[in-house]
Amino acid sequence: MQKPARERILDASHELMRTIGLARTTTKEIARAAECSEAALYKHFASKEEIFVSVLKERLPELGPLLHRLLADPGERSVEENLTEIARQAAHFYAESFPIGASLYAETKLKRRHDDVLQEMGTGPHTPIEGLDTYLRAEREAGRISPDADTFAAASLLLGACAQRAFAYDATIGKTPPQSVDEFAAALARTLLRGIG
């Protein structure tokens, strides 16, 4: 039994964006790979940019739901455990999204169009930083981190380190990181907490 068209479109888009990059992936190629018409594609998605955002949200490791869950109940686990899980998810997310989105930076017009659509949709690369900042502010208000902790800087440091790991190792052929993702995430959380704990 064939998957529903929307699922096939996302699967095909993910594979094409991962292998040839976002800039070279066309809606025509997506429709062909998904075994549907372009008209069917546009019944589910308004644009290629909307498909891209849906791929990020539905096919890559999820940061948003994790941050929403932590905001709903920040005290369920220790701050270190929460930051470790965020770092683990973020490292996987950036490792998978970097090859997809990197081609955007090669084409100025496509990047501008993409940025405009993301802004209209109320999302973008800043969203995880702002979500983590909000979580850390809740932890600060609960007294679980220092009252003078700069939560925005801490969020930027943690997610920036995860993005840099993806750039330095996952996007580099033949270079293995000195730590597994789990070791990296735990060490990053511990190190960050020394500054804001």
Side-chain angles (χ1 to χ4, degrees), residues 65-164:
L66 172 60
L67 291 169
H68 291 301
R69 190 184 81 232
L70 292 176
L71 280 171
D73 191 2
E76 184 179 324
R77 298 184 312 170
S78 73
V79 176
E80 185 173 339
E81 288 172 314
N82 290 337
L83 290 177
T84 299
E85 182 59 23
I86 292 166
R88 182 182 301 111
Q89 288 289 87
H92 286 302
F93 174 82
Y94 290 120
E96 289 191 39
S97 64
F98 185 84
I100 292 172
S103 63
L104 272 176
Y105 293 90
E107 296 189 29
T108 309
K109 288 180 184 174
L110 178 63
K111 173 83 169 66
R112 192 174 309 117
R113 191 178 83 220
H114 179 78
D115 289 346
D116 289 345
V117 171
L118 289 182
Q119 190 170 10
E120 287 171 21
M121 294 175 74
T123 190
H126 63 284
T127 307
I129 296 171
E130 291 175 0
L132 180 51
D133 176 42
T134 301
Y135 159 71
L136 288 171
R137 278 188 276 119
E139 292 289 18
R140 185 177 62 195
E141 289 167 15
R144 291 178 14 126
I145 62 174
S146 174
D148 62 349
D150 185 331
T151 57
F152 183 78
S156 300
L157 286 167
L158 186 136
L159 294 174
C162 294
Q164 181 61 29

Side-chain angles (χ1 to χ4, degrees), residues 80 83-84 179 183-195:
E80 185 173 339
L83 290 177
T84 299
Q179 299 169 309
E183 292 168 328
F184 168 78
L188 183 55
R190 274 194 312 275
T191 302
L192 187 66
L193 271 177
R194 285 188 193 124

Side-chain angles (χ1 to χ4, degrees), residues 7-77:
E7 295 303 306
R8 294 194 324 270
I9 291 165
L10 287 178
D11 288 345
S13 300
H14 182 210
E15 182 61 22
L16 286 166
M17 290 173 183
R18 192 179 59 75
T19 56
I20 66 172
L22 180 61
R24 292 181 53 208
T25 299
T26 65
T27 54
K28 186 174 285 192
E29 289 169 326
I30 293 169
R32 188 177 323 121
E35 298 178 357
C36 69
S37 67
E38 274 191 273
L41 184 144
Y42 285 110
K43 285 181 184 175
H44 297 282
F45 301 97
S47 65
K48 186 172 92 168
E49 291 78 16
E50 187 177 315
I51 295 171
F52 172 68
V53 171
S54 296
V55 166
L56 292 182
K57 287 182 177 178
E58 298 178 39
R59 293 297 184 267
L60 301 187
E62 298 179 341
L63 271 178
L66 172 60
L67 291 169
H68 291 301
R69 190 184 81 232
L70 292 176
L71 280 171
D73 191 2
E76 184 179 324
R77 298 184 312 170

